[in-house]
Amino acid sequence: MSEQNLYRQLHNEVQRTAPPDPGRQKPERHFRIAMLAPPWIPIPPPGYGGIEYVVALVTDALVERGHEVELFCAPGSRSKAFVRPLLPEAHPHEIERALIEADHVSRAFEAFDQAAAAGHPFDVVHDHCGYTPLAMADRIDLPLVHTVHGPFDRETSPYYDHHGHKGNVVCISRSQAGMAPPGADVKAVVYNPIDVEAWPVGYQKQDYLLWVGRFTEEKGPQRAIKVAKATGRRLILAGVVQPRQERFFATEIEPHLDGRQIEYVGEVGGARKQQLFADAFAFLMPIAWPEPFGMVMVEALAAGTPVLAFDHGAAVEIVEHGVNGFLVHDEDEMAELVERAAEIKPEDCRRSAERFSPHRVAAGYEAAYAGAMERATSGAPA
Ligand code: UDP
């Protein structure tokens, strides 16, 4: 082994594994963008916060690419864009509360009008904020691009079927787009980004399996426990117990926590989270729902850790069987394949994460903005 490789192995060093990102090419056309984040959690998120992480990276990449971006968001946010907090405080414990969303969104709409009145209008709104802006998109004078962060399911599909045509709906995986109701009128698929270079690659693996996320039935922490018990491997669980999920955690998870084989380390963030991902022997994603994207899979890959996932939703677009992990049907198959994670190279995992670079994602959104603006000027339906 070369001295350089040995150094990398010992230090879990960040290493580029792919040629320079083609998405880095600067665009010819520049936009003035109103980026509308939710009011719940600051950008970037201090811990849990999939949407906020995406907004942070896309926003910074757009600024680096020369666009003028104002970020309408919760206070406490940081960004390369001009930060415009709308409410006096963040609301991490009242997610989806209508009072707060209505207050936040209507203040953003006021700001769009003020910008136009001041002779410096936005070209486009990029909305990540729940359900209000898309439903009201035909009441504002700006084209609106809406990223669908959640699933199309029994609750949300009627909403998208009815309101989708008012904005320009962008999906975060082909799998998610394939489930859209006809009225959603999906205009593009743009994957979520990851700042690969910010993640240390783990070459020196420890023995534990890792699960990170929200403790819900569909994300499968209880199935990860089953896999760990079947293989005799240690399992570290990290994540949040959201309101209404306390009972699930108390009955399906807590009884199995013994602090030795099955360990819960709470909500994690920052360098500690990255190290957990980098050191893991394998990441488990035993999902039982059409996962719209699954940031945690891409984070594991960036950290050089193979992903074992059930073949649902976007997992089949992210996991390349035998290259950066394994796709399986159930817990038994996952348990059977766990040891084979040792055959997967950290470099290959890392390389597979590089196709989700923020600049490539930003380029995808630039095309979506251009399309939205064209449709707005031509008078065609959004
Ligand atoms: N996350 C975190 N700390 C935790 C649990 C989760 O920072 O304790 C992050 C995780 O790293 C990922 C996001 O929250 O970036 C979850 O996004 P994902 O798409 O996996 O799931 P979602 O909850 O959005 O369905």
Side-chain angles (χ1 to χ4, degrees):
M1 182 183 302
S2 76
E3 211 171 302
Q4 195 190 26
N5 277 347
L6 181 65
Y7 178 86
R8 281 190 187 130
Q9 282 223 351
L10 293 176
H11 294 268
N12 277 347
E13 257 250 291
V14 173
Q15 180 199 12
R16 278 205 73 79
T17 48
D21 178 5
R24 283 223 170 236
Q25 224 171 5
K26 292 274 167 70
E28 281 166 17
R29 197 168 159 201
H30 291 143
F31 304 117
R32 182 161 143 72
I33 303 156
M35 189 68 72
L36 181 50
W40 323 117
I41 297 170
I43 309 291
Y48 174 78
I51 297 174
E52 290 74 13
Y53 183 69
V54 169
V55 172
L57 290 180
V58 173
T59 304
D60 281 354
L62 287 165
V63 174
E64 284 167 16
R65 295 168 70 79
H67 303 288
E68 190 181 325
V69 191
E70 294 193 19
L71 174 62
F72 296 88
C73 53
S77 299
R78 285 177 291 108
S79 172
K80 290 184 176 169
F82 182 43
V83 175
R84 305 267 315 253
L86 293 168
L87 299 180
E89 55 194 352
H91 293 272
H93 305 299
E94 292 159 283
I95 289 182
E96 291 198 350
R97 194 167 165 214
L99 172 70
I100 292 154
E101 185 173 310
D103 196 359
H104 177 82
V105 173
S106 56
R107 288 180 198 226
F109 280 21
E110 281 163 20
F112 305 159
D113 288 346
Q114 281 160 7
H120 196 38
F122 290 101
D123 294 317
V124 62
V125 180
H126 187 169
D127 163 42
H128 302 267
C129 182
Y131 301 107
T132 311
L134 178 64
M136 300 291 164
D138 54 350
R139 314 275 152 155
I140 55 174
D141 288 333
L142 287 169
L144 181 139
V145 171
H146 170 92
T147 300
V148 184
H149 287 281
F152 292 111
D153 57 20
R154 280 209 342 244
E155 283 184 346
T156 61
S157 290
Y159 163 90
Y160 281 104
D161 202 25
H162 189 80
H163 299 291
H165 71 280
K166 298 177 184 173
N168 297 264
V169 169
V170 173
C171 284
I172 54 176
S173 63
R174 289 197 300 274
S175 144
Q176 185 202 43
M179 295 181 70
D185 190 17
V186 176
K187 297 289 194 305
V189 172
V190 181
Y191 285 126
N192 279 343
I194 183 156
D195 181 9
V196 169
E197 289 175 39
W199 288 76
V201 180
Y203 292 98
Q204 287 279 79
K205 295 301 188 189
Q206 293 189 20
D207 65 344
Y208 65 87
L209 305 172
L210 179 66
W211 178 94
V212 178
R214 288 183 279 130
F215 284 90
T216 61
E217 143 68 29
E218 67 266 17
K219 293 277 186 178
Q222 76 286 20
R223 289 182 284 275
I225 291 173
K226 213 171 143 200
V227 171
K229 288 193 172 174
T231 58
R233 277 202 177 256
R234 214 149 63 85
L235 172 69
I236 294 183
L237 299 150
V240 282
V241 184
Q242 290 186 321
R244 297 192 296 280
Q245 297 301 334
E246 296 88 351
R247 196 181 150 77
F248 171 78
F249 187 79
T251 57
E252 302 286 330
I253 307 298
E254 232 161 12
H256 300 283
L257 303 178
D258 57 14
R260 289 188 319 277
Q261 195 199 354
I262 314 289
E263 193 184 349
Y264 173 49
V265 296
E267 184 175 354
V268 290
R272 178 163 176 245
K273 173 171 93 172
Q274 293 189 327
Q275 205 62 51
L276 262 185
F277 272 102
D279 290 344
F281 176 73
F283 185 80
L284 302 187
M285 192 75 182
I287 35 173
W289 76 320
E291 181 74 53
F293 185 77
M295 277 307 298
V296 285
M297 288 188 276
V298 180
E299 291 166 352
L301 295 174
T305 298
V307 176
L308 281 90
F310 283 15
D311 53 359
H312 293 302
V316 300
E317 293 164 62
I318 294 171
V319 177
E320 299 164 60
H321 193 78
V323 176
N324 62 6
F326 296 101
L327 289 164
V328 299
H329 298 303
D330 56 25
E331 295 95 311
D332 293 340
E333 205 185 340
M334 189 174 267
E336 269 166 40
L337 284 176
V338 156
E339 292 312 313
R340 289 192 51 200
E343 298 166 15
I344 306 279
K345 294 196 192 79
E347 301 88 301
D348 289 337
C349 296
R350 174 70 157 205
R351 187 175 303 115
S352 69
E354 284 176 355
R355 66 192 170 105
F356 305 101
S357 85
H359 277 259
R360 196 169 294 195
V361 171
Y365 278 116
E366 283 159 4
Y369 303 154
M373 287 162 62
E374 225 162 85
R375 281 183 283 275
T377 47
S378 72

